[in-house]
Amino acid sequence: MTEQAVQATEDGATTGPVVPTQPTEPTEPVAAPAPRRTIILVDGENIDATLGNSLLNRRPTPEERPRWERVTAYAEKLWDQPVTGLFFLNASHGTLPSAFVQALLALGYRPVPLSGRSDQKVVDLGIQRTLQALVGHDADVLLVSHDGDFVEDLRPLVSDAGRRVALLALREYASSGFTALGVPIHDLEEDVRAFNVPLPRVRIISLEDFDPEVFLR
């Protein structure tokens, strides 16, 4: 018999030489893909201006401004995934509202303080550039604004069948361009419940949604 081992079958026949099993190299664990997330882009200037100039005709009080932690909480539940909140600020005067920035950080937002020339709408430009950059990112998008200047920058994101895009706003003040583009609108007061006090809004109410108790308070 040769030095090579032979393997016998059940009937005594041989099947040929046994090939020694080579040890396998340990494989590196495959990292799990990062979970899909929602990017929230907050146009704080526009929200404040809409409340003050269009609705209240005065500067909003703290109670009449959105509770921003409710926005992120709503966003997390909306599509059941983690969120990243970007809050854009105009810092062209060279100063930051330190207390507000610290509050945003405590709520999990990333403040984006931008500066530029006096003729530049730095917050709008910053949000537009971010929307353009998001085309190359696998993420869903929630825009918090009423400003129709963002419609064209949202168009490529809306056209992406694998991406969800929506607007958070006071519905009656949102640019009609968002509706024409087919962007769903989630009302900051009615859906998100972002305010501590009722806002003095006058708008058309569907009879199915009419609650007389609201007018009897």
Side-chain angles (χ1 to χ4, degrees):
M1 188 174 183
T2 66
E3 294 182 359
Q4 287 185 316
V6 294
Q7 179 179 0
T9 60
E10 290 183 359
D11 58 4
T14 60
T15 58
V18 175
V19 178
T21 303
Q22 297 296 324
T24 57
E25 293 293 331
T27 57
E28 292 293 330
V30 178
R36 189 175 181 87
R37 60 177 174 157
T38 300
I39 305 296
I40 308 172
L41 307 179
V42 180
D43 183 359
E45 280 189 336
N46 176 268
I47 299 301
D48 219 45
T50 301
L51 289 170
N53 300 334
S54 302
L55 183 61
L56 301 171
N57 295 316
R58 56 175 171 77
R59 186 179 180 85
T61 66
E63 290 296 300
E64 293 167 331
R65 289 190 168 99
R67 304 293 300 180
W68 295 111
E69 71 276 13
R70 297 181 190 174
V71 171
T72 51
Y74 182 84
E76 287 176 346
K77 293 180 180 178
L78 179 63
W79 293 324
D80 191 25
Q81 61 192 23
V83 303
T84 296
L86 304 181
F87 201 111
F88 291 78
L89 300 166
N90 189 339
S92 294
H93 297 296
T95 59
L96 281 175
S98 299
F100 185 57
V101 167
Q102 290 302 315
L104 289 174
L105 290 169
L107 296 174
Y109 281 88
R110 297 180 184 176
V112 186
L114 301 172
S115 66
R117 301 189 310 268
S118 59
D119 62 332
Q120 289 180 310
K121 299 170 68 174
V122 295
V123 167
D124 285 13
L125 290 171
I127 292 175
Q128 287 174 323
R129 292 182 186 179
T130 306
L131 289 171
Q132 293 162 12
L134 278 167
V135 172
H137 290 259
D138 187 21
D140 300 313
V141 181
L142 281 177
L143 175 64
V144 187
S145 181
H146 303 87
D147 195 342
D149 288 347
F150 302 124
V151 169
E152 288 308 310
D153 295 293
L154 277 178
R155 190 178 300 278
L157 299 172
V158 172
S159 299
D160 183 350
R163 191 191 309 270
R164 293 170 290 196
V165 179
L167 186 76
L168 301 186
L170 299 176
R171 187 173 281 105
E172 67 271 27
Y173 295 109
S175 168
S176 59
F178 294 114
T179 303
L181 189 59
V183 177
I185 301 176
H186 299 262
D187 194 275
L188 276 171
E189 183 177 26
E190 294 179 346
D191 300 322
V192 183
R193 301 189 181 278
F195 298 91
N196 280 343
V197 296
L199 299 178
R201 300 164 70 183
V202 179
R203 61 200 185 282
I204 298 173
I205 306 170
S206 167
L207 186 58
E208 294 180 356
D209 299 328
F210 173 60
D211 179 6
E213 293 296 335
V214 172
F215 294 87
L216 298 177
R217 292 172 184 166

